[in-house]
């Protein structure tokens, strides 16, 4: 039987490519020298496309694919996908929620502990021979009994909350809508929550609707003893303010997995000992990435099986 054509918009992990190629006649748009010319000639062949949160799918690309029925994206975030425009065109957009909850939540906890316990700074301290020279690093901060505010309490945020309880933290949260079925204290005002918290963890979607919600005022309210952790998207925080406040000490510490202009990270952060940096690794374990890849494939299969 002839395989259904599938347009792959950007590079994906080798396992996913293999699984797609087993089932579909995969064409890699990103390897075409003249992508526009290729689409002009071949676009009508593609009912299906695959992409990722890194590559995305914007309205201009949707317009170039008039036969498209489904796009299956690797990742849960939809901020790089024009879902509203796709829906208007009758195109299904599928993502990979839930399978990455545990590992992304674990990254939030890892960054929280790494930042508050100065793990990376102290690692450098040992490697530079400063311990051997008789120096003593400053005391770190504990998290037991501390109030931790979650900005976002969805699939991943709820898992983070459960893990924080095991560390003896007092979990509170801010979302647009108070959740009817949770007992954590709700704040409708993010500045107020930041003022009451030792730690803020951002785990809400990116995109225009949430741009800069963690503002300079919020970070100032968190204060010099406070720690900010971001496993959401770089865009949810005022990154300029974040860097300035970490430099001046008006914000204590940060653990950051995501940035506004990835893979470019504000260079000013490289010199700071009160920040732990990760290259967007929240879901990046062998186990979770395989589960996400399997979901990309099953989303396509379910669509074509009319499920
Ligand atoms: P989700 O289940 O849709 O939860 C999103 C939460 O954010 C909800 O509680 C929602 O509550 C809240 N929210 C939305 N807009 C808000 C706003 N303006 N202010 C405050 N809260 C707001 O999403 P999820 O599956 O947990 O994933 C969350 C995000 O994590 C993804 O969209 C993605 O960007 C990011 N992520 C990052 C990584 C990584 O590698 N670092 C991995 C996976 C996901 P309300 O609707 O009531 O406001
Ligand atoms: C991945 C993510 O890094 O799922 C998301 O929204 O940000 C992460 O899981 C990304 O999906 C890889 O494309």
């Amino acid at each position: 039987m002839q395989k259904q054509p599938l347009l792959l918009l950007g590079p994906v992990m080798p396992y996913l490519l293999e699984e797609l190629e087993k089932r579909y006649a995969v064409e890699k748009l990103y390897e075409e020298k003249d992508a526009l010319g290729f689409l002009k000639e071949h676009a009508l062949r593609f009912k299906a496309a695959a992409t990722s949160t890194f590559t995305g799918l914007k309205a201009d690309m949707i317009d170039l694919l008039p036969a498209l029925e489904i796009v299956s994206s690797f990742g849960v975030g939809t901020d790089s996908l024009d879902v509203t425009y796709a829906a208007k065109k009758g195109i299904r957009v599928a993502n990979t929620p839930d399978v990455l909850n545990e590992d992304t939540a674990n990254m939030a906890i890892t960054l929280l502990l790494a930042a508050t316990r100065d793990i990376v700074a102290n690692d450098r301290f040992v490697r530079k021979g400063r311990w051997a020279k008789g120096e003593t690093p400053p005391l770190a901060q504990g998290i037991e009994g501390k109030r931790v505010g979650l900005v976002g309490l969805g699939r991943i945020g709820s898992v983070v909350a459960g893990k924080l309880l095991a560390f003896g933290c007092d979990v509170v949260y801010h979302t647009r809508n108070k959740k009817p079925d949770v007992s954590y204290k709700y704040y409708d005002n993010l500045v107020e929550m930041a003022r009451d918290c030792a730690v803020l963890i951002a785990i809400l979607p990116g995109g225009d609707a949430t741009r800069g919600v963690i503002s300079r005022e919020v970070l100032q309210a968190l204060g010099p003893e406070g720690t900010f952790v971001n496993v959401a998207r770089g865009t949810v925080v005022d990154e300029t303010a974040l860097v300035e406040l970490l430099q001046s000490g008006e914000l204590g510490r940060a653990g950051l997995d995501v940035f506004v202009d990835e893979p470019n990270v504000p260079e000013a952060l490289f010199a700071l000992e009160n920040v732990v940096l990760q290259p967007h690794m929240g879901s990046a374990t062998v186990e979770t990435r395989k589960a996400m890849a399997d979901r990309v494939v099953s989303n396509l299969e379910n669509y074509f099986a009319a499920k």
Side-chain angles (χ1 to χ4, degrees):
M1 211 175 72
Q2 230 187 350
K3 288 178 184 167
Q4 165 101 249
L6 178 125
L7 188 66
L8 187 57
L9 300 179
V12 291
M13 63 192 283
Y15 169 75
L16 176 54
L17 184 59
E18 272 167 37
E19 293 302 306
L20 288 172
E21 282 179 333
K22 277 183 202 164
R23 297 162 176 85
Y24 302 96
V26 176
E27 300 271 5
K28 299 171 188 158
L29 186 63
Y30 55 97
E31 284 187 355
E32 291 296 330
K33 282 202 182 77
D34 175 15
L36 216 58
F38 174 84
L39 287 176
K40 271 187 189 143
E41 201 174 324
H42 299 286
L44 286 173
R45 289 171 37 216
F46 299 106
K47 288 183 183 172
T51 188
S52 68
T53 58
F54 287 133
T55 303
L57 178 71
K58 291 294 182 207
D60 51 355
M61 179 60 77
I62 292 174
D63 282 338
L64 293 170
L65 293 165
L68 195 63
E69 294 178 13
I70 178 158
V71 57
S72 185
S73 180
F74 182 83
V76 66
T78 54
D79 48 317
S80 61
L81 307 163
D82 199 332
V83 178
T84 310
Y85 193 65
K88 226 159 100 184
K89 296 269 174 179
I91 299 163
R92 306 283 173 112
V93 179
N95 63 346
T96 64
D98 292 320
V99 293
L100 40 57
N101 292 353
E102 292 293 333
D103 270 324
T104 308
N106 286 345
M107 177 57 84
I109 301 292
T110 301
L111 283 173
L112 168 56
L113 290 171
T116 53
R117 296 301 301 267
D118 302 327
I119 293 295
V120 178
N122 284 342
D123 179 277
R124 283 193 284 260
F125 180 90
V126 174
R127 288 170 199 251
K128 280 182 184 157
R130 293 177 61 185
W131 190 27
K133 280 186 200 143
E135 285 185 60
T136 313
L139 294 180
Q141 256 176 357
I143 61 165
E144 195 181 347
K146 298 284 173 70
R147 183 165 292 170
V148 179
L150 293 171
V151 189
L153 192 72
R155 289 170 293 242
I156 301 169
S158 305
V159 176
V160 176
K163 291 176 191 282
L164 287 169
L165 296 181
F167 287 95
C169 296
D170 173 19
V171 176
V172 300
Y173 75 103
H174 166 76
T175 50
R176 291 166 303 178
N177 313 293
K178 187 175 189 297
K179 311 286 167 204
D181 49 350
V182 304
S183 55
Y184 310 124
K185 180 177 160 75
Y186 173 71
Y187 285 81
D188 61 3
N189 185 307
L190 186 47
V191 177
E192 260 172 43
M193 182 168 90
R195 203 172 288 134
D196 285 356
C197 283
V199 177
L200 273 196
I201 300 180
I203 184 61
L204 70 166
D208 286 338
T210 57
R211 197 172 299 281
V213 294
I214 298 162
S215 61
R216 183 179 291 271
E217 194 188 0
V218 171
L219 296 171
Q220 279 168 330
L222 189 56
E225 303 299 318
T227 298
F228 173 62
V229 171
N230 193 357
V231 288
R233 285 290 183 265
T235 52
V236 304
V237 63
D238 177 344
E239 198 173 69
T240 306
L242 175 65
V243 173
E244 286 172 7
L245 295 172
L246 284 165
Q247 280 175 318
S248 68
E250 284 169 86
L251 175 65
R253 293 172 168 87
L256 307 173
D257 187 41
V258 286
F259 304 88
V260 171
D261 180 30
E262 294 175 8
N264 302 304
V265 173
E267 273 190 40
L269 292 176
F270 299 167
L272 300 183
E273 291 286 29
N274 53 349
V275 187
V276 179
L277 304 172
Q278 284 289 292
H280 201 144
M281 298 296 277
S283 66
T285 65
V286 171
E287 297 82 359
T288 289
R289 286 288 169 87
K290 179 180 178 299
M292 290 163 67
D294 289 338
R295 184 63 69 89
V296 169
V297 174
S298 67
N299 282 341
L300 288 164
E301 289 189 319
N302 285 337
Y303 176 75
F304 287 113
K307 288 185 189 163

